[in-house]
Amino acid sequence: MSSLNPKTYDSVPAHKVAFLGLGVMGYPMAGHLALAGHSVAVYNRTTTKSADWQKEFEAQAKGALRHAATPREAAVGADIVFCCVGNDDDLRSVVLGDDGAFAGMAKGAVFVDHTTASADVARELSKAALERGLHFIDAPVSGGQAGAQNGALTVMCGGDAAAFARVQPVIATFARAVTLLGVSGAGQLAKMVNQIAIAGLVQGLSEAIAFGQRAGLDMNEVLAVIGKGAAQSWQMDNRGKTMIEGKFDYGFAVDWMRKDLGLVLDEAKRNGARLPVTALVDQFYADVQQAGGRRWDTSSLITRLK
Ligand SMILES: NC(=O)c1ccc[n+]([C@@H]2O[C@H](COP(=O)([O-])OP(=O)(O)OC[C@H]3O[C@@H](n4cnc5c(N)ncnc54)[C@H](OP(=O)(O)O)[C@@H]3O)[C@@H](O)[C@H]2O)c1
């Protein structure tokens, strides 16, 4: 079974690109680049995944595909290097050092980072890139595994406008919206806004469903009705039914959400924003982790209320 759903790709000149990190998100994102006609070199820490990736896409790719033993080797010859790893430290480990991507990139090449990381690391790596004659765009994504598989992610970018203009049509291979929101770090800050908006909303939806169930209502029927009114949300449409059923296998893991809320709360300490509900929901997610839900998806907040 394919790991992605092919889509109709806009015609853009073929690029030589690299992709570092073939996880839940990176594997299909890199796959879309291959199917769209770009030459793709991949790197993954666990090398069996890179070999599997090449095997899966080789027959349908128009450009050359290869897998490399280090980020540096993958980056050689690429005009754009994409990346989607776990956190700030993982990102530094694939970018910097003798085997890091920056060591292999030619002057003028652009590094596009899709990891959800801090705005600080984006600024730090952007500065390091400039010192080497490279460009760095922070470009975290929203849309989850399904968005990556369908090539329909929302991408929030920060960095230099000219470098962004070069990479935007290539990012669009796996995205439905790719927007520059400001200087380096602005993409990560926008992703933090996204996570703040989601955290409180999922807790509200959890309370609503748990309340309705205690009241003896048919919650599928109730959500079908109120989902057509002002309470409608993406979470209600996509997770409401599975929350009612107590199924939490549908996407973004609680561990990742805690990482993201940690980034948010650190940034709020610096900029003075008050986030009382977000801080509380972060602690609720810690409860879910303790109850064994580290890999459950974020809608599992409702388990605390059962
Ligand atoms: N999953 C989602 O729904 C979603 C949605 C939006 C944003 N994100 C963000 O996207 C990023 C990736 O998420 P994911 O779900 O794809 O995670 P994942 O499945 O756990 O994949 C993580 C990838 O990073 C690699 N990696 C981790 N640490 C590394 C290190 N120190 N050196 C080299 N490679 C390393 C892993 O390599 P191995 O294969 O060797 O472990 C793997 O390829 C995270 O920042 C996450 O917050 C995820």
Side-chain angles (χ1 to χ4, degrees):
M1 199 178 75
S2 173
S3 61
L4 57 72
N5 300 316
K7 62 183 230 188
T8 307
Y9 302 102
D10 289 343
S11 142
V12 292
H15 286 262
K16 277 192 175 169
V17 305
F19 205 108
L20 317 176
L22 301 174
V24 167
M25 301 297 281
Y27 192 104
M29 290 158 85
H32 283 292
L33 289 165
L35 298 187
H38 302 291
S39 296
V40 188
V42 294
Y43 162 80
N44 196 68
R45 178 178 58 181
T46 309
T47 49
T48 46
K49 263 194 228 169
S50 337
D52 289 350
W53 180 92
Q54 183 167 345
K55 202 165 150 212
E56 176 172 347
F57 293 105
E58 209 145 45
Q60 295 160 275
K62 291 187 204 85
L65 305 187
R66 66 183 173 93
H67 60 279
T70 64
R72 175 187 183 146
E73 214 182 282
V76 169
D79 46 353
I80 309 171
V81 178
F82 296 93
C83 173
C84 190
V85 293
N87 60 26
D88 284 20
D89 288 341
D90 302 333
L91 177 59
R92 286 192 190 93
S93 80
V94 296
V95 169
L96 302 172
D98 289 348
D99 284 334
F102 280 5
M105 290 167 72
K107 280 201 174 12
V110 187
F111 191 98
V112 178
D113 178 37
H114 295 298
T115 310
T116 303
S118 67
D120 272 354
V121 81
R123 293 181 202 111
E124 169 196 321
L125 295 178
S126 174
K127 188 165 169 275
L130 271 182
E131 285 163 8
R132 290 169 169 80
L134 308 171
H135 303 282
F136 183 95
I137 304 285
D138 51 297
V141 302
S142 168
Q145 183 175 3
Q149 289 171 334
N150 295 328
L153 293 168
T154 296
V155 188
M156 298 151 258
C157 300
D160 171 69
F164 172 78
R166 281 169 52 204
V167 298
Q168 193 270 347
V170 188
I171 301 176
T173 303
F174 48 78
R176 66 168 164 216
V178 188
T179 311
L180 183 69
L181 292 156
V183 296
S184 197
Q188 295 297 354
L189 292 170
K191 173 75 183 184
M192 291 176 204
V193 173
N194 186 73
Q195 300 306 68
I196 295 166
I198 287 176
L201 193 146
V202 175
Q203 177 62 17
L205 182 58
S206 298
E207 291 181 15
I209 291 172
F211 171 92
Q213 287 178 321
R214 277 181 198 264
L217 293 170
D218 177 339
M219 281 310 294
N220 281 312
E221 205 174 19
V222 173
L223 291 194
V225 173
I226 68 173
K228 293 186 180 63
Q232 184 272 342
S233 66
W234 185 98
Q235 299 289 339
M236 183 182 283
D237 289 352
N238 291 280
R239 296 285 178 269
K241 192 168 177 297
T242 48
M243 286 166 83
I244 293 166
E245 290 165 0
K247 293 183 180 162
F248 307 110
D249 219 3
Y250 296 91
F252 192 60
V254 167
D255 273 357
W256 281 142
M257 187 59 161
R258 284 222 73 210
K259 166 190 63 106
D260 293 1
L261 295 180
L263 295 169
V264 163
L265 295 169
D266 281 351
E267 192 65 40
K269 264 187 218 141
R270 274 191 289 275
N271 72 15
R274 294 181 62 237
L275 300 175
V277 172
T278 307
L280 192 61
V281 173
D282 178 52
Q283 289 307 301
F284 292 167
Y285 276 125
D287 295 344
V288 177
Q289 285 177 314
Q290 277 194 346
R294 298 180 56 173
R295 299 300 296 178
W296 295 347
D297 77 68
T298 45
S299 68
S300 59
L301 265 187
I302 195 172
T303 55
R304 292 182 62 264
L305 305 171
K306 297 268 182 186

